[in-house]
Amino acid sequence: QVQLVESGGGLVQPGGSLRLSCAVSGSIGTINAMVWYRRAPGKQRELVAVITSVGSTCYVASVKGRFTVSRENAVVYLQMNSLKQADTGVYYCNVRWVGFTENHWGQGIQVAVSS
């Protein structure tokens, strides 16, 4: 059984930093990519950052230069700097597997940026 557990969220002032972690336990194969999504209040879920099995990364334009995704074994991190109120939302990690259409989600973790 695959489980993803996120941690590191919370309340931070604008301009502050947070580091999210997502630990994957269990496996159905080789990890193809690990992805961070977020859902802001009243908005649809959006992809925030991706890191592939070979370490390639990409980001949504609104976080480029502020967020950094990294991975160490089965843990993916999202370092979030210079946070803005627009970054507020529930952040989810997602893991995609080589050769499988099935993917797995974490339970989500709240990030609130407010003064």
Side-chain angles (χ1 to χ4, degrees), residues 50-103:
V50 181
I51 184 163
T52 71
S53 60
V54 296
S56 299
T57 60
C58 67
Y59 302 89
V60 66
S62 61
V63 308
K64 282 183 180 177
R66 300 188 297 120
F67 289 13
T68 303
V69 62
S70 61
R71 176 188 167 188
E72 184 173 348
N73 297 320
V75 182
V76 62
Y77 302 96
L78 187 66
Q79 178 67 43
M80 306 185 293
N81 298 328
S82 302
L83 282 161
K84 305 175 182 180
Q85 288 188 336
D87 296 317
T88 293
V90 179
Y91 284 69
Y92 301 87
C93 67
N94 170 269
V95 62
R96 304 173 184 181
W97 307 91
V98 175
F100 290 89
T101 56
E102 180 181 7
N103 58 91

